[in-house]
Amino acid sequence: MATKPKTAAKRSQGGAQSRTRATNARSKTNAPAISEFSKEQDLSAYREMLLIRRFEEKAGQLYGMGLIGGFCHLYIGQEAVVVGMQMAQKEGDQVITSYRDHGHMLATGMDPKGVMAELTGRRGGYSKGKGGSMHMFSKEKQFYGGHGIVGAQVPLGTGLAFANRYRGNDSVSVVYFGDGASNQGQVYESFNMAKLWKLPVIYVIENNKYGMGTSVERASSNVDLSERGASFDIPGEQVDGMDVRAVHAAAERAISHCREGYGPYILEMLTYRYRGHSMSDPAKYRSKDEVQKMRTEHDPIEQVRQRVLEKTWATEDELKDIDKDVRSVVGEAAEFAQTDPEPDVSELWTDIVL
């Protein structure tokens, strides 16, 4: 009996040492908590986030009209996460994510026409109209999906990092998944492998507080998801995922950690989706007041808008012009997605592995 407290104390000491090592690894980057954006960076972030917002609003409209079939998971509210991360990445870095993927595709520079056409099942879509909302890829933009199975992208993204390590390049794999997927077993198998081989992979947990309709407090015994890698000695941190500057600063820390050969890194992005889990979800599990409070006090696009106006980097009219231009791009994408021909019947037999 006397050995039990000693064993527990030893485990506690080991855990403390692990957290200390993780903290030390994080401090190597010496990056600030929030990036100080230039005028060009703020305006670029504003436009990119606005493009995602307007695209998703249009996608929701087309879904309501019956022009988009199957499932449709919108990214409205979470735009700062992928835009801030992408701003810190360089050419050659890879991105892989879940089925809530439209924003990630646009952030990597994929053509809105091709993305929207895939939603409506047209020939010009990124998967030739056969993948729909949840299955799109672009080798050119280093975007590896869009995965419909919860957590499936995590081992695949870890594999991308293994390929980078094997080839001896300095590219980093950025793997996005949600708070719901963070409880999947394959996630922890990937963590273990990534740390053992010191793979250059960043695990971005987009914690939007609800895995489908279940709050994170009801689904997870430890709601600080940045600590999920502690037993593997993987450093992690929580980030204000509604502030694009905070995301960018965290991304730079994590990317530096990976490129310098220290292995994987976890970023828990505290974010929020304004719509339901998918377009078919009425989201009755949360109050309208909760959603409105997030929109009013923490909206990622509005934060940048106010900052730009306060610093006189743009006028109201100039910001309206940006919005007008973005709406035009999205409008053209929607028009293309409704007029482009459907795939030929012969496409049923292409890209199939038997």
Side-chain angles (χ1 to χ4, degrees):
M1 295 293 291
T3 60
K4 288 188 177 179
K6 184 177 179 180
T7 303
K10 192 172 183 179
R11 282 200 301 268
S12 178
Q13 182 183 19
Q17 290 174 345
S18 176
R19 285 190 291 275
T20 299
R21 287 195 297 270
T23 301
N24 289 341
R26 185 163 64 243
S27 65
K28 290 179 183 292
T29 62
N30 295 318
I34 294 179
S35 295
E36 289 298 327
F37 276 7
S38 65
K39 173 183 176 180
E40 290 72 23
Q41 285 177 306
D42 250 340
L43 289 174
S44 175
Y46 180 77
R47 189 186 190 285
E48 290 302 306
M49 289 194 290
L50 199 58
L51 174 62
I52 295 172
R53 178 73 58 90
R54 298 296 180 239
F55 183 96
E56 294 291 63
E57 289 170 348
K58 178 61 72 172
Q61 181 183 1
L62 295 182
Y63 184 92
M65 296 167 61
L67 297 174
I68 296 176
F71 292 98
C72 185
H73 304 80
L74 302 183
Y75 200 64
I76 297 175
Q78 300 182 212
E79 297 91 351
V81 175
V82 71
V83 170
M85 288 295 303
Q86 200 68 34
M87 288 175 72
Q89 293 167 229
K90 72 174 188 178
E91 187 175 352
D93 292 341
Q94 302 119 331
V95 171
I96 189 168
T97 188
S98 69
Y99 40 78
R100 197 180 304 279
D101 54 3
H102 313 154
H104 302 74
M105 289 182 267
L106 296 175
T108 62
M110 291 169 66
D111 187 350
K113 289 183 178 179
V115 178
M116 194 72 85
E118 188 60 40
L119 298 186
T120 57
R122 303 304 175 119
R123 187 179 301 174
Y126 270 99
S127 293
K128 302 179 182 178
K130 300 186 294 182
S133 175
M134 300 198 292
H135 304 284
M136 276 184 258
F137 303 83
S138 173
K139 185 177 180 181
E140 176 194 1
K141 299 299 182 181
Q142 298 291 308
F143 180 77
Y144 290 87
H147 293 268
I149 298 175
V150 175
Q153 71 275 21
V154 180
L156 294 175
T158 305
L160 291 171
F162 175 80
N164 293 333
R165 176 80 187 276
Y166 185 81
R167 292 167 177 157
N169 60 40
D170 68 344
S171 295
V172 172
S173 171
V174 181
V175 182
Y176 294 89
F177 57 101
D179 48 290
S182 69
N183 293 319
Q184 290 281 318
Q186 59 193 319
V187 171
Y188 301 98
E189 295 176 63
S190 300
F191 284 178
N192 188 54
M193 183 180 293
K195 182 60 182 182
L196 274 174
W197 294 338
K198 292 187 177 180
L199 302 182
V201 54
I202 302 172
Y203 297 109
V204 182
I205 305 175
E206 297 192 78
N207 183 359
N208 58 32
K209 306 186 190 305
Y210 296 94
M212 294 190 72
T214 304
S215 68
V216 66
E217 289 83 4
R218 293 182 59 202
S220 300
S221 58
N222 180 3
V223 296
D224 186 344
L225 305 183
S226 69
E227 296 181 348
R228 289 301 177 90
S231 63
F232 305 97
D233 196 23
I234 300 177
E237 58 179 294
Q238 287 186 323
V239 183
D240 180 359
M242 304 299 276
D243 186 339
V244 69
R245 300 170 305 168
V247 174
H248 181 265
E252 289 195 323
R253 287 192 290 276
I255 289 172
S256 176
H257 177 91
C258 290
R259 293 207 208 280
E260 291 174 15
Y262 293 108
Y265 203 99
I266 295 174
L267 294 176
E268 180 192 0
M269 298 293 176
L270 301 174
T271 185
Y272 198 83
R273 54 175 164 80
Y274 297 159
R275 301 290 185 92
H277 173 72
S278 68
M279 283 297 296
S280 59
D281 173 20
K284 293 181 179 179
Y285 42 82
R286 58 185 181 179
S287 68
K288 292 182 179 179
D289 289 341
E290 177 185 311
V291 179
Q292 187 58 39
K293 181 178 175 64
M294 292 298 295
R295 277 185 176 274
T296 303
E297 300 179 8
H298 302 285
D299 186 78
I301 299 175
E302 185 60 25
Q303 287 186 55
V304 179
R305 179 179 176 277
Q306 289 298 327
R307 189 163 61 245
V308 167
L309 291 174
E310 288 170 6
K311 293 185 176 183
T312 65
W313 283 348
T315 64
E316 286 275 10
D317 287 341
E318 288 171 332
L319 293 180
K320 287 179 180 178
D321 286 341
I322 293 175
D323 192 12
K324 182 179 178 180
D325 179 59
V326 165
R327 288 179 184 274
S328 176
V329 170
V330 172
E332 290 177 7
E335 178 66 21
F336 177 74
Q338 295 175 72
T339 57
D340 190 53
E342 293 184 352
D344 189 85
V345 175
S346 62
E347 279 294 335
L348 286 171
W349 308 105
T350 63
D351 307 313
I352 303 297
V353 178
L354 299 177

